[in-house]
Amino acid sequence: MFIVLEGGDGAGKTTQVTLLSLWFDDLGLSYVSTREPGGTAVGEAIREIVLAGPEMDMPAETELMLILGARAAFVRDVVRPALADGKLVIADRFSLSTMAYQGYGRGLDLDQVKRTVTIATRGLTPDLYIVLDLPADEGEDRQSREAESPDRIEAEGRSFRDTVREAYLHLAATEPDVTVVSAMGTPEEVQGRIREELVARFPATFTDSEMIEPGGAG
Ligand code: Z5A
């Protein structure tokens, strides 16, 4: 099974992947947890370029090709081998990010983006995308509590973030296997919603015996 957490910057994906990993450990599931862009040597090198500061100026097409270059390696070297071994793959971002950021956010032609995504993935799609939905200003507030300076994409500002949020909601309404979970509230509350969604959709894999306790990580 291949599950992807998606959402705008600061929505809490990294936090939620960590909490999910604890749950998978409790359930005795064999899994691989990873993030995009990255997950392979070439992917991490591409990540450095894509997430450099605003001085690393590039056309939207360059950004798209770099991200998809990383994705092709990620699919070949991380996702497909793990799935072939019968492991669960939990990823922080995948192709829905490309539609939201490079398609809607950067304004590239959506059909072309979709076609190039399919080349990079050789048609692999997740069993489920979970979009963590958060108002753009809340995501910005959460990120601003961290000391790091903004990368190229974070530096795009408020209207870009709003566009990306709307894109995710639109994609959830129009694409298959995409669900939306509110990212408001404490990390434990959000985690509880994600687990409920997984139990409801895949009861044979996830049981509710280890559902998160309010105020605890599971
Ligand atoms: N990108 C793209 O354009 N196209 C693509 O196809 C792909 C990616 C795959 C990846 O950067 C960038 O690549 C991304 C899109 C682009 N845009 N940018 N920039 P990244 O991996 O460095 O950044 P990110 O994906 O946006 O993640 P993030 O900034 O690390 O946010 P997050 O993972 O969603 O959230 P977090 O790190 O778990 O939490 C952020 C902060 O909020 C942190 O201090 C937490 O402690 C706090 N937090 C988390 N949850 C909560 C709750 N519930 N309440 C309060 N505070 C919270």
Side-chain angles (χ1 to χ4, degrees), residues 10-15 47 71 93 98 102 143 146 151 185:
K13 298 173 297 299
T14 310
T15 304
R47 182 182 176 88
R71 177 144 326 128
R93 296 191 182 281
T98 320
Q102 281 65 52
Q143 276 188 323
E146 295 175 348
D151 60 52

Side-chain angles (χ1 to χ4, degrees), residues 55-89:
E55 70 285 354
M56 183 74 82
D57 184 38
M58 65 180 77
E61 290 82 357
T62 304
E63 185 178 273
L64 173 70
M65 299 302 173
L66 284 169
I67 286 169
L68 294 183
R71 177 144 326 128
F74 176 68
V75 167
R76 188 194 70 174
D77 298 342
V78 178
V79 183
R80 286 197 191 275
L83 295 176
D85 276 355
K87 291 182 179 149
L88 168 67
V89 177

Side-chain angles (χ1 to χ4, degrees), residues 113-124:
V113 172
K114 257 191 175 173
R115 280 202 297 276
T116 47
V117 162
T118 305
I119 293 171
T121 61
R122 296 196 179 190
L124 182 75

